[in-house]
Amino acid sequence: MKDRLQELQSEALEKVKQAEDLKALQDVRVAYLGKKGPITEVLRGMGKLSKEERPVIGQLANEVRETISDAIQKKQGKLEEEALEQQLEEESIDVTLPGRPVQVGGPHLLTSIIEEIEDLFIGMGFEIKEGPEVETDYYNFEALNLPKGHPARDMQDSFYITEELLLRTHTSPVQARTMKQKDGHEPVRMICPGKVYRRDTDDATHSHQFTQVEGLVVDENIKMSDLKGVLNGFAKQMFGSERDIRLRPSFFPFTEPSVEMDISCKVCGGDGCSVCKGTGWIEILGAGMVHPNVLEMAGYDPNLYSGFAFGMGPERIAMLKYGIDDIRHFYTNDIRFLKQYHKA
Amino acid sequence: MLVSLNWLKHYVDINDQTPEELAELITKTGIEVESVEPIAEKMNHVVVGYVQSCEKHPNADKLNLCQVDVGEETLQIICGAPNVAAGQKVAVAKPGAVLPGNFKIKKAKLRGVESNGMICSLQELGVDEKDVPKEFTDGIFVFHDEVEIGDNAAELLNLDDIIIELGLTPNRADCLSMLGVAYEVAAILDQPFTPQEEVVNPVEEPAADEISVKVEAPDLNPYYGAFIINDVKIGPSPLWLRNRLIASGVRPINNVVDITNYVLLEYGQPLHAFDLDRFGTEEVVVRRAKQNETITTLDGQKRTLKPEHLVITNGKQPTAIAGVMGGADSEVHEDTTNILLEAAYFHPNAVRTSSKDHGLRSEASTRFEKGVDPNRVILAGKRACELLEKYADGKVLNGVVEFDDLDKEPKRVEITTSHINERLGTDISDEEIADILRRLQFRYEQNGELFKVIVPTRRGDVELFEDMLEEVARVYGYDNLPYTLPGGASQAGGLTLQQQLKRKVKNYLQGAGLDETITYSLTRANRAEQLVSREVKEQAKAPVRLAMPMSEEHSHLRLSILPELLESLSYNIARKQTDLAYYELGTVFISEEEQVTVQPEEQLRLSGALTGDWHIHPWQQEKKSVDFFVVKGIVEGLAKLLDLQLTYRQAKLPDMHPGRTAEVLLDNQVIGFIGQIHPKLQNELDLKETYVFDLNVEVLFGSYEKEEAFQAIPKYPSINRDIALVVDEQSFAAEVAETILEAGAPLVKDVRIFDVYQGEHLESGKKSIAFNLLYMDPNRTLKDEEVEKAHEKILSAVGERHQAELRG
């Protein structure tokens, strides 16, 4: 019997070894370890054995069983692994095929520029103010020291609706409105972005509609050096820390002194090139100390309060930053233009 | 203003500054220099030549064969100019010369005859055609002056001059004169400058014998001075004067006209010369024009006047529009001998009105409009007399006949050093201030740190402390200001809720795949009223129209963003860009008045327009074109973003597809619409199926509440049940869903539609809608019987309200 069991074991192990798939292995299990299998049969025939032999054979039978069972288990694990590998092999795909596109839109370039400017000034404690695009002559001109008949009104020919109403020619009326709102004594620190309109024929450098961002600071003891400090900080963050600024005299009716701010040319670093027309500098914004008449009209005592204001054109900034050659691109909304600046 | 450097050097020593360095200094200190350019590129071998003989070319009718003495030699030159003649002194480009435009002069044979150079026109030498005297525009230039044969002609003609173009701001009218520029440059370079005195040698006969002056509108004409110059000889002006005019962009005409133009450029004071014999009378009367009075001006135009226009008259009829243009009748001619020279101060507004009404902008009107120096009016008249004596053989009669009510007092401004430093953030000393005033040639009385500044009248722009602040700052140098930051209580900057929401909505839409656009607010009349949402249409009387539009294309303010947005789609489609999803957040302008008198309401609206493929992934056979539900999904997502309940109501709107349009409501108020634009409109715009949305986001933002309280996460399981209901095909799914929610309350938390079917397995005229219901109680686990009970209630409610039957 002992021999029979050992024979069975080696036979079974040989079969396990030969089993090529899980089904064959299952057959081996049923054949050798099943209730009707040869080992069970051997155990059943133990009754015929002597008392001494019985435990020896019993133990051997169990050992054989276990050996076969272990072998099957091991083989099964191996076969399963192989099957899975094969399945995964079959599931393989061409990873170089394009993915399912995700539709992504983006902001208009002017919005990106304006929001960048907003965020820079918010960081310096500025509020963002807005105002109407259809303005009264008072806020658009008179409150800004441009009485009727003032020659500087020629500088910005306007779209009038009635004698008293017009499309604002700059966002400065928002400054006047804000000062009124602050009641002649609260400090002001704000910027006002928005659309403005002028009587210009649309061409590469003119647009009857464009955007502006203007800013205003009013408080006791505001100095011209503050203007220089704030705008220098802005310019370096907006255009790069390696850029220098310079102020030079200019004229705006609502500021005195008035200046224009240039930044050093990015292309030539200040040596002079075609972009900066050989000067090494590029004009970027207008600014100045708020004119006493403007403060007074808004209810601030010019002897106690002073302030500075500035204004810039996002179109111009975008054109300089990206080398865009035609202002009309901003308003024709060519998808190929818009998509270029989604990462901007 | 074009500034001739050679002329400027005559007044101020510019040291060894290069023109570019000087320009940089001028820009930094006061006035933006727009360009620095020579009149002509540098040239050699261009000399004065004497035409000894001039004969017809043997083989060409239109060419002349000239022998030209150029000093060291005599050159045979073939010249095609019609005005060439023997005995002329001309400008000759010898072989080897390179003329502007890289035009190389070489020996050549013309029709078999040798030509050794070229006799030049001014244009060929680089002078702008508009500045060339008329007599030379169609031919060569001929010297009228005493010049030496063989001398450098380019130098004699001032072609080596550098022109500095100043971009003057309206306040710096003082630099509309060479004297003004000289003061400015002298201050910048810290150099002395004193203008030379006018020297006139009048005859004994008083001017008052020949003319009288009466001003009837002293408010518009506070000063009028009349000089009489007799026996003038009209002819060309001297070369130096013509050179200066050409350098300044003014075409020389004759000595009398040139002299008035020259003084205008030099002093900034416009003058006018009348032919005294043609003037008509012996009195000058300055008055407001009569209504519909007419005058024929120098340019031959007959002009109708009105009382806002100031005119010079001879007591009978107008002889000039004051400060703008003279009359043709009294114009100086070739045969003029006696001159009435006007030197006047006309009020800026009077001149501005006339020049604007008649569309006449001239060097003169520009200066009057900005205000001339009251103390230079008479001096300019005298300067012209001096030049007329010298260069037109004129006899100046004694004295000036004048009306004088002009304030010539200089303004006084007080400044203190400490005030200046407070405003600039600087640490300038009293001595430095005094030095700056000296450089500017502003007189002052000093008392410690107090300066009482007497501002020269040439600087009409300096009136206030702040103006003086600017003068000090710019001469001190803006580069020398320190960088500081505003002091005082700091405030927290930031965005308002509405500004935050705008950014949030933009980010959402961009994440959803839409591109932002910015279109024009001004549009055509018909577009202004197109695709306007019902509530806007009800509120707006008519689109706001500009008083004087530049074009019909941009004549009205928009009531809807959509028409311009659709225009953008068309623009792209025409360029083969077919898949587009655009949105714009902007204002529309709603006026409740027929005739606008108050500012229209500016309403923030959000519009979108989509066309073409919404999603395409070809190799996996996925393709989805834009349809109603794509657009609705975007709007629903927006509502979710703002946590607002929007409802949709089928609507028929103009220019919209009658079956594929819905109005969008918030709290039962229409706030916009979505849908497909009408196929007819699609055709008109060359668009394929196009879907739009338009919403009043101001209302949405107004209803937005920032979530603050925490909502507990459900602890108990929910139960899902599906039902398929058969209803009439006209029924609205949303209404059935609403009934389910209502009847199932409070246990039914959500209803979703997962299938809609219509077809052979159903009775015709019916459709089946399958709903997935979510039952839940936040406080306990639901029992089957409760759900069953609620389900029964729902079935009977939909049966009753919508005649819905459970699909078998």
Side-chain angles (χ1 to χ4, degrees):
Chain A
M1 247 175 148
K2 206 173 171 181
D3 296 345
R4 172 77 181 133
L5 278 170
Q6 264 151 5
E7 195 183 314
L8 278 172
Q9 176 173 326
S10 55
E11 207 181 280
L13 290 178
E14 185 55 32
K15 288 243 168 86
V16 168
K17 206 175 166 187
Q18 278 166 10
E20 278 183 351
D21 54 29
L22 286 167
K23 187 177 174 308
L25 194 65
Q26 183 61 16
D27 290 347
V28 176
R29 186 197 300 274
V30 173
Y32 288 87
L33 302 178
K35 284 184 183 159
K36 288 174 189 166
I39 296 174
T40 318
E41 208 170 292
V42 170
L43 288 172
R44 245 185 239 135
M46 284 231 296
K48 293 175 197 159
L49 293 176
S50 67
K51 234 182 189 171
E52 295 77 31
E53 268 182 326
R54 228 182 266 163
V56 178
I57 294 299
Q59 196 186 342
L60 182 65
N62 279 335
E63 278 171 13
V64 168
R65 244 185 121 96
E66 250 165 59
T67 307
I68 296 171
S69 178
D70 278 356
I72 290 175
Q73 199 72 34
K74 262 190 201 145
K75 180 79 181 192
Q76 185 171 347
K78 197 177 159 221
L79 284 177
E80 274 173 356
E81 187 74 15
E82 278 171 10
L84 181 64
E85 263 170 36
Q86 195 189 341
Q87 187 198 335
L88 294 184
E89 189 62 37
E90 282 162 12
E91 280 173 8
S92 105
I93 53 169
D94 178 356
V95 296
T96 67
L97 281 168
R100 187 177 187 277
V102 172
Q103 189 91 332
V104 182
H108 192 281
L109 175 56
L110 290 176
T111 301
S112 305
I113 300 268
I114 289 171
E115 287 186 359
E116 190 179 348
I117 297 170
E118 285 177 353
D119 293 342
L120 288 178
F121 280 99
I122 285 172
M124 292 190 265
F126 282 62
E127 294 177 89
I128 314 295
K129 289 282 184 182
E130 288 154 301
E133 291 172 34
V134 175
E135 259 299 355
T136 60
D137 187 85
Y138 176 80
Y139 277 113
N140 194 72
F141 289 128
E142 285 181 47
L144 299 165
N145 202 29
L146 280 149
K148 289 213 161 93
H150 191 287
R153 282 193 182 202
D154 291 356
M155 285 163 78
Q156 37 196 6
D157 264 0
S158 354
F159 286 121
Y160 274 91
I161 292 164
T162 68
E163 258 178 44
E164 292 304 321
L165 293 177
L166 73 159
L167 295 184
R168 65 178 177 193
T169 56
H170 43 195
T171 56
S172 319
V174 185
Q175 303 183 351
R177 286 177 179 275
T178 304
M179 282 194 277
K180 273 257 164 87
Q181 188 195 328
K182 301 264 178 185
D183 227 17
H185 59 85
E186 284 173 54
V188 179
R189 208 176 278 199
M190 58 85 100
I191 62 165
C192 44
K195 292 175 189 154
V196 300
Y197 305 85
R198 294 200 191 159
R199 283 185 82 85
D200 273 323
T201 305
D202 297 340
D203 62 23
T205 52
H206 296 86
S207 180
H208 75 277
Q209 172 181 323
F210 56 101
T211 59
Q212 266 196 347
V213 179
E214 303 206 11
L216 176 71
V217 173
V218 175
D219 205 343
E220 293 172 20
N221 281 323
I222 297 295
K223 309 179 289 285
M224 195 146 182
S225 55
D226 297 337
L227 174 159
K228 201 173 162 184
V230 166
L231 294 182
N232 183 51
F234 161 75
K236 297 222 153 150
Q237 290 194 62
M238 188 84 194
F239 298 100
S241 56
E242 73 287 356
R243 313 288 286 272
D244 289 325
I245 67 156
R246 74 167 184 188
L247 303 180
R248 53 185 169 75
S250 188
F251 172 76
F252 308 105
F254 25 89
T255 49
E256 187 69 37
S258 299
V259 289
E260 261 161 4
M261 187 174 95
D262 297 336
I263 53 167
S264 54
C265 179
K266 186 182 173 181
V267 178
C268 61
D271 297 335
C273 66
S274 64
V275 173
C276 56
K277 291 186 201 138
T279 63
W281 296 96
I282 290 174
E283 181 186 325
I284 214 72
L285 56 80
M289 301 301 287
V290 183
H291 197 287
N293 293 355
V294 173
L295 287 172
E296 205 158 356
M297 270 184 280
Y300 285 83
D301 180 351
N303 295 314
L304 293 177
Y305 290 88
S306 53
F308 66 84
F310 53 89
M312 61 190 106
E315 280 89 347
R316 183 174 165 76
I317 290 174
M319 289 169 93
L320 287 174
K321 232 176 154 169
Y322 301 105
I324 298 165
D325 58 357
D326 193 326
I327 195 169
R328 287 169 294 197
H329 282 310
F330 295 107
Y331 296 96
T332 42
N333 298 304
D334 189 314
I335 186 80
R336 295 161 297 180
F337 177 81
L338 297 178
K339 290 279 185 206
Q340 275 186 53
Y341 298 104
H342 283 180
K343 58 184 190 302
Chain B
M1 175 81 180
L2 301 177
V3 176
S4 147
L5 192 62
N6 284 345
W7 190 353
L8 179 66
K9 280 185 195 160
H10 183 76
Y11 300 128
V12 188
D13 181 359
I14 66 161
N15 304 327
D16 43 7
Q17 307 280 340
T18 66
E20 287 73 22
E21 285 165 354
L22 180 64
E24 166 92 7
L25 282 172
I26 295 174
T27 295
K28 273 170 74 170
T29 318
I31 295 154
E32 191 178 3
V33 171
E34 289 180 348
S35 63
V36 179
E37 304 218 35
I39 292 187
E41 294 155 48
K42 194 162 178 53
M43 49 193 133
N44 294 319
H45 308 300
V46 180
V47 298
V48 177
Y50 178 73
V51 184
Q52 292 174 328
S53 67
C54 175
E55 288 154 18
K56 281 263 163 283
H57 188 291
N59 307 324
D61 280 352
K62 297 200 168 161
L63 297 178
N64 300 295
L65 187 58
C66 308
Q67 301 299 328
V68 185
D69 176 4
V70 293
E72 297 148 359
E73 55 187 328
T74 299
L75 297 174
Q76 170 168 298
I77 297 174
I78 295 177
C79 178
N83 65 331
V84 66
Q88 290 173 334
K89 280 184 183 167
V90 294
V92 177
K94 298 196 286 188
V98 181
L99 301 187
N102 200 24
F103 180 22
K104 291 180 181 132
I105 303 300
K106 292 178 207 153
K107 289 186 181 184
K109 263 191 179 170
L110 282 174
R111 298 263 181 132
V113 181
E114 208 172 286
S115 179
N116 299 316
M118 185 170 85
I119 305 179
C120 303
S121 69
L122 284 177
Q123 293 93 313
E124 282 158 344
L125 294 174
V127 176
D128 201 331
E129 166 119 25
K130 70 173 178 44
D131 300 333
V132 174
K134 281 249 167 73
E135 56 176 316
F136 302 131
T137 48
D138 297 322
I140 53 160
F141 169 76
V142 181
F143 285 97
H144 296 299
D145 314 76
E146 290 299 317
V147 287
E148 291 294 316
I149 294 164
D151 274 4
N152 184 335
E155 227 175 85
L156 284 168
L157 288 167
N158 193 43
L159 300 175
D160 58 344
D161 200 356
I162 305 285
I163 307 303
I164 298 177
E165 185 176 4
L166 300 180
L168 290 176
T169 48
N171 58 326
R172 295 305 304 273
D174 60 302
C175 286
L176 282 168
S177 65
M178 286 302 295
L179 294 184
V181 174
Y183 276 111
E184 177 73 16
V185 171
I188 293 170
L189 300 177
D190 197 2
Q191 286 288 328
F193 166 61
T194 314
Q196 68 190 56
E197 240 172 80
E198 303 75 18
V199 185
V200 190
N201 303 299
V203 295
E204 259 180 48
E205 186 193 347
D209 283 0
E210 304 240 342
I211 201 83
S212 69
V213 168
K214 191 161 126 197
V215 173
E216 291 177 356
D219 53 331
L220 301 183
N221 180 205
Y223 181 85
Y224 195 97
F227 295 85
I228 301 292
I229 305 97
N230 286 339
D231 299 339
V232 297
K233 288 189 185 63
I234 306 283
S237 319
L239 187 60
W240 67 266
L241 197 150
R242 279 184 297 157
N243 284 344
R244 286 184 180 179
L245 290 183
I246 289 174
S248 308
V250 176
R251 166 182 272 163
I253 295 169
N254 61 43
N255 49 4
V256 172
V257 176
D258 291 353
I259 285 168
T260 57
N261 284 337
Y262 178 79
V263 176
L264 172 139
L265 293 170
E266 190 180 31
Y267 282 60
Q269 169 66 42
L271 302 170
H272 186 68
F274 297 96
D275 182 321
L276 184 61
D277 304 306
R278 288 185 167 93
F279 191 69
T281 66
E282 292 181 351
E283 64 168 345
V284 171
V285 178
V286 186
R287 59 165 168 83
R288 287 167 182 276
K290 293 172 190 152
Q291 189 70 39
N292 294 327
E293 200 170 8
T294 59
I295 178 173
T296 303
T297 42
L298 284 173
D299 53 4
Q301 298 278 319
K302 188 172 176 182
R303 300 177 184 274
T304 307
L305 304 166
K306 55 182 187 182
E308 286 77 25
H309 305 146
L310 187 70
V311 287
I312 317 303
T313 74
N314 58 10
K316 293 173 186 159
Q317 70 242 19
T319 54
I321 304 174
V324 177
M325 197 178 261
D329 290 348
S330 53
E331 187 182 359
V332 170
H333 287 64
E334 290 289 309
D335 60 358
T336 296
T337 49
N338 301 315
I339 285 172
L340 160 60
L341 181 76
E342 160 196 294
Y345 185 99
F346 299 121
H347 196 280
N349 288 348
V351 176
R352 189 173 313 119
T353 308
S354 298
S355 97
K356 216 169 158 186
D357 288 356
H358 298 293
L360 285 172
R361 263 279 159 86
S362 61
E363 295 277 349
S365 70
T366 309
R367 285 169 176 79
F368 279 124
E369 281 181 34
K370 297 194 164 135
V372 295
D373 178 356
N375 281 309
R376 225 183 257 163
V377 185
I378 308 169
L379 298 181
K382 286 189 176 159
R383 172 70 169 150
C385 289
E386 174 185 356
L387 295 171
L388 287 167
E389 270 180 355
K390 267 195 208 160
Y391 302 108
D393 287 342
K395 286 199 191 72
V396 177
L397 300 200
N398 202 358
V400 51
V401 185
E402 58 185 3
F403 168 85
D404 188 358
D405 190 24
L406 182 60
D407 178 10
K408 301 183 206 65
E409 268 307 294
K411 295 208 176 65
R412 284 158 197 271
V413 181
E414 292 190 3
I415 58 173
T416 63
T417 306
S418 55
H419 199 186
I420 295 269
N421 283 324
E422 258 167 44
R423 285 294 155 90
L424 294 181
T426 47
D427 196 14
I428 305 177
S429 67
D430 296 345
E431 291 72 29
E432 281 172 295
I433 302 244
D435 194 51
I436 289 168
L437 294 174
R438 178 190 59 74
R439 285 168 65 177
L440 288 166
Q441 300 202 35
F442 285 13
R443 285 185 294 137
Y444 60 91
E445 293 155 17
Q446 188 183 353
N447 186 355
E449 67 148 16
L450 172 69
F451 293 83
K452 291 182 179 170
V453 182
I454 301 152
V455 183
T457 50
R458 63 187 156 83
R459 291 297 308 275
D461 59 314
V462 178
E463 293 178 296
L464 305 172
F465 165 77
E466 284 74 14
D467 300 324
M468 276 310 304
L469 185 68
E470 176 161 47
E471 291 304 304
V472 173
R474 69 188 187 91
V475 179
Y476 178 72
Y478 285 119
D479 286 350
N480 298 323
L481 293 192
Y483 296 95
T484 60
L485 290 175
S490 68
Q491 89 187 28
L495 297 171
T496 62
L497 179 61
Q498 164 143 340
Q499 288 160 352
Q500 289 172 33
L501 288 175
K502 273 207 255 184
R503 287 197 181 186
K504 189 171 162 143
V505 164
K506 286 180 175 192
N507 286 336
Y508 158 72
L509 290 169
Q510 283 149 203
L514 278 71
D515 292 311
E516 188 194 14
T517 63
I518 300 177
T519 57
Y520 294 133
S521 307
L522 286 167
T523 185
R524 293 174 184 284
N526 61 339
R527 274 200 206 146
E529 285 189 277
Q530 204 170 39
L531 296 166
V532 178
S533 189
R534 183 196 301 273
E535 83 285 7
V536 175
K537 200 167 253 178
E538 279 166 6
Q539 197 191 343
K541 206 58 176 196
V544 176
R545 186 179 193 279
L546 296 180
M548 286 188 303
M550 288 181 76
S551 68
E552 285 310 311
E553 204 178 334
H554 305 302
S555 54
H556 288 72
L557 282 169
R558 64 184 179 189
L559 280 169
S560 167
I561 297 168
L562 287 174
E564 288 292 323
L565 209 48
L566 292 175
E567 174 71 27
S568 291
L569 297 192
S570 294
Y571 178 92
N572 280 287
I573 302 272
R575 284 156 186 80
K576 305 264 181 281
Q577 306 295 314
T578 52
D579 305 326
L580 302 157
Y582 277 179
Y583 84 91
E584 181 165 336
L585 188 61
T587 40
V588 301
F589 303 80
I590 306 170
S591 172
E592 298 182 22
E593 306 171 294
E594 192 89 54
Q595 283 294 322
V596 179
T597 62
V598 295
Q599 283 166 283
E601 177 191 332
E602 293 182 22
Q603 194 176 80
L604 188 66
R605 290 190 81 89
L606 174 65
S607 300
L610 297 84
T611 188
D613 287 329
W614 173 243
H615 172 74
I616 178 156
H617 185 39
W619 73 266
Q620 288 189 315
Q621 285 82 43
E622 284 179 42
K623 184 175 151 126
K624 166 98 189 125
S625 293
V626 172
D627 66 15
F628 181 89
F629 297 101
V630 166
V631 174
K632 188 174 179 186
I634 291 165
V635 175
E636 283 171 336
L638 180 72
K640 202 175 262 178
L641 182 81
L642 300 173
D643 195 21
L644 296 171
Q645 285 294 319
L646 297 181
T647 52
Y648 303 83
R649 186 171 77 190
Q650 182 112 33
K652 295 198 191 314
L653 301 175
D655 288 313
M656 292 296 291
H657 189 301
R660 294 181 178 176
T661 298
E663 285 183 325
V664 182
L665 298 92
L666 175 71
D667 298 331
N668 288 320
Q669 298 288 318
V670 177
I671 59 148
F673 65 99
I674 62 173
Q676 185 187 345
I677 61 167
H678 201 288
K680 279 195 210 158
L681 183 59
Q682 284 172 182
N683 279 343
E684 261 171 54
L685 298 170
D686 275 331
L687 295 172
K688 300 243 171 62
E689 260 184 50
T690 299
Y691 291 84
V692 299
F693 61 89
D694 172 52
L695 301 168
N696 176 349
V697 277
E698 241 167 69
V699 177
L700 296 182
F701 291 171
S703 307
Y704 175 84
E705 282 170 41
K706 235 180 177 170
E707 197 123 344
E708 268 154 17
F710 167 72
Q711 302 257 329
I713 310 296
K715 279 184 219 147
Y716 300 96
S718 56
I719 296 176
N720 279 293
R721 283 286 163 88
D722 292 347
I723 44 170
L725 297 173
V726 177
V727 293
D728 193 89
E729 66 178 358
Q730 301 295 328
S731 302
F732 290 117
E735 289 175 6
V736 181
E738 188 59 31
T739 304
I740 294 173
L741 265 180
E742 241 174 68
L747 297 185
V748 175
K749 298 291 184 218
D750 195 14
V751 180
R752 284 172 201 216
I753 295 165
F754 67 88
D755 188 39
V756 179
Y757 176 76
Q758 212 170 349
E760 54 175 325
H761 300 294
L762 285 176
E763 206 181 310
S764 78
K766 297 276 177 189
K767 66 179 169 189
S768 154
I769 310 172
F771 299 89
N772 175 263
L773 281 53
L774 181 90
Y775 290 88
M776 201 179 69
D777 188 317
N779 303 315
R780 62 204 171 84
T781 304
L782 286 177
K783 290 182 193 125
D784 268 352
E785 308 87 84
E786 288 177 281
V787 172
E788 207 49 56
K789 224 170 128 188
H791 215 66
E792 287 304 323
K793 208 175 142 197
I794 289 166
L795 282 178
S796 77
V798 293
E800 212 168 287
R801 233 181 270 178
H802 306 284
Q803 291 74 51
E805 282 168 26
L806 205 55
R807 188 176 175 192

